[in-house]
Amino acid sequence: MENLSYPRDMLFLEGLNVTQQSSYPAFILFLIIYIFTMVSNISLIVLITMERSLHHPMYIIFCNLPLNDALGATVIIPRLLSDIFVASTERYINYIECAIQAFGAHMFGTSSHTILMIMAFDRYVAICKPLQYTMIMTNRMIVKLIVFAWGSAFLFVGVLLGLTFRLSRCRSEILHPFCDNASIFKLSCESTVINNIYGLTFTILLLGSSMGSLTFTYIRIAIVCKKNKNRVLSSKALQTCSTHLTVYIIMLVSGFIFIFLHRFPEWSNHRKLAAILFHVIPPWVNPIIYGLQTKEIRQKLFNKIFRNDQVRLLR
């Protein structure tokens, strides 16, 4: 469908394909998920910011994860919700808005890896070099790690989309639930060989570095825990690491399902759903995992809740 009657800066956006009967259940489901995602992730950020007892390197670095999850969900879900009740032939998006959405979507995916990498580094130092932890994990080092996580993601995604934005457009259909790099460079009739090469290299480097660093980290931690005769400390260390590893596996599986389905064009609808779930499941599940598994965060949350209840009863 090529409709040339609307301005060149307007693109047709496929959005979320649902039947008329399922539009209301889909809207309610995604709205509930989005509200829970925002409330839970922002609550974690506020809790860590307000509680001085949580002002440790581990929690300061972790704070970047709920921030990234909240931003990642906001980039995708509100637009999906607004388009559910719009006829599929009337879903248009401005090119600038599309570019911003694509940048946000790729920043979320890339930052998820880099943030989990610096979290793994913090756990490695804490468990494998406990006596040097305070000397290594200084405020300066924390700032460097956070700048690395966001800065490297910004740089790689900036180049990725910069190569795409240089291309001229001869099409106007985004055949995807939301804008991303692949759907935008498919609007061009020019050669996209450079885009494909950089995109593949970028993906290999990102996955290779994140999987490699986490594998190395957990092998080292497992060796230290096995040698350590203090079972209480080893158990606590493994519990902390299991939370981090669970979050990483959920994010990795969500991404791999989407990549795997790319190989089967006949499963395009499943691939599009997997792309949406990548921006829905990790931001929704991560605060639950960290809130329930991390003892300090769980205790602070319960204290806040019960303290507020007691204040209401006294009033």
Side-chain angles (χ1 to χ4, degrees), residues 67-77 96-112 150 153-154 157-158 160-161 165 178-181 184 278-279 283:
L67 175 62
N68 186 52
D69 286 341
L71 293 174
T74 301
V75 166
I76 302 300
I77 299 178
I96 300 299
E97 184 184 349
C98 184
I100 293 171
Q101 188 181 54
F103 181 81
H106 287 284
M107 270 296 293
F108 165 73
T110 307
S111 299
S112 296
W150 291 100
F154 185 89
V157 173
L160 179 75
L161 292 172
F165 296 152
F178 55 87
C179 295
D180 65 354
N181 180 61
I184 294 177
F278 178 74
H279 290 266

Side-chain angles (χ1 to χ4, degrees), residues 50-69:
M50 299 293 288
E51 288 289 337
R52 294 183 64 85
S53 60
L54 296 177
H55 291 180
H56 297 296
M58 173 183 172
Y59 299 112
I60 294 171
I61 291 173
F62 161 70
C63 216
N64 290 272
L65 188 64
L67 175 62
N68 186 52
D69 286 341

Side-chain angles (χ1 to χ4, degrees), residues 6-247:
Y6 53 86
R8 179 172 170 76
D9 285 340
M10 298 299 292
L11 304 172
F12 169 78
L13 180 65
E14 184 178 14
L16 182 64
N17 287 325
V18 292
T19 62
Q20 189 173 1
Q21 293 79 8
S22 59
S23 57
Y24 282 100
F27 179 86
I28 293 170
L29 175 63
F30 278 104
L31 180 61
I32 292 172
I33 290 173
Y34 180 64
I35 292 173
F36 176 82
T37 298
M38 296 304 293
V39 170
S40 57
N41 281 292
I42 292 174
S43 295
L44 284 175
I45 296 171
V46 172
L47 178 68
I48 293 170
T49 304
M50 299 293 288
E51 288 289 337
R52 294 183 64 85
S53 60
L54 296 177
H55 291 180
H56 297 296
M58 173 183 172
Y59 299 112
I60 294 171
I61 291 173
F62 161 70
C63 216
N64 290 272
L65 188 64
L67 175 62
N68 186 52
D69 286 341
L71 293 174
T74 301
V75 166
I76 302 300
I77 299 178
R79 178 73 201 201
L80 289 176
L81 291 173
S82 66
D83 282 344
I84 283 180
F85 299 113
V86 177
S88 59
T89 56
E90 297 178 6
R91 293 174 182 169
Y92 300 116
I93 186 171
N94 183 276
Y95 183 75
I96 300 299
E97 184 184 349
C98 184
I100 293 171
Q101 188 181 54
F103 181 81
H106 287 284
M107 270 296 293
F108 165 73
T110 307
S111 299
S112 296
H113 284 274
T114 55
I115 290 169
L116 288 169
M117 285 167 64
I118 65 172
M119 288 173 67
F121 175 78
D122 172 72
R123 291 300 83 206
Y124 166 75
V125 177
I127 297 169
C128 298
K129 300 182 179 181
L131 299 178
Q132 302 173 39
Y133 183 75
T134 54
M135 291 187 293
I136 295 174
M137 296 304 295
T138 60
N139 291 336
R140 186 183 181 88
M141 175 59 77
I142 293 169
V143 171
K144 284 182 179 180
L145 290 172
I146 293 172
V147 169
F148 163 76
W150 291 100
S152 59
F154 185 89
L155 177 64
F156 284 120
V157 173
V159 174
L160 179 75
L161 292 172
L163 290 172
T164 297
F165 296 152
R166 70 186 173 84
L167 301 171
S168 60
R169 305 194 308 276
C170 63
R171 302 182 185 92
S172 56
E173 296 176 272
I174 300 291
L175 299 177
H176 199 61
F178 55 87
C179 295
D180 65 354
N181 180 61
S183 61
I184 294 177
F185 75 62
K186 286 177 181 178
L187 300 176
S188 177
C189 294
E190 297 180 33
S191 173
T192 57
V193 173
I194 295 176
N195 300 69
N196 289 323
I197 292 174
Y198 179 81
L200 182 62
T201 305
F202 168 48
T203 304
I204 292 172
L205 284 174
L206 181 64
L207 290 176
S209 58
S210 71
M211 293 176 69
S213 62
L214 264 77
T215 301
F216 170 79
T217 298
Y218 283 111
I219 288 174
R220 291 288 299 164
I221 289 173
I223 292 171
V224 169
C225 289
K226 189 175 182 180
K227 291 180 179 179
N228 195 341
K229 295 180 180 180
N230 190 329
R231 293 193 174 185
V232 175
L233 290 177
S234 296
S235 177
K236 186 177 179 180
L238 290 173
Q239 183 180 1
T240 304
C241 292
S242 66
T243 304
H244 176 263
L245 193 59
T246 301
V247 169

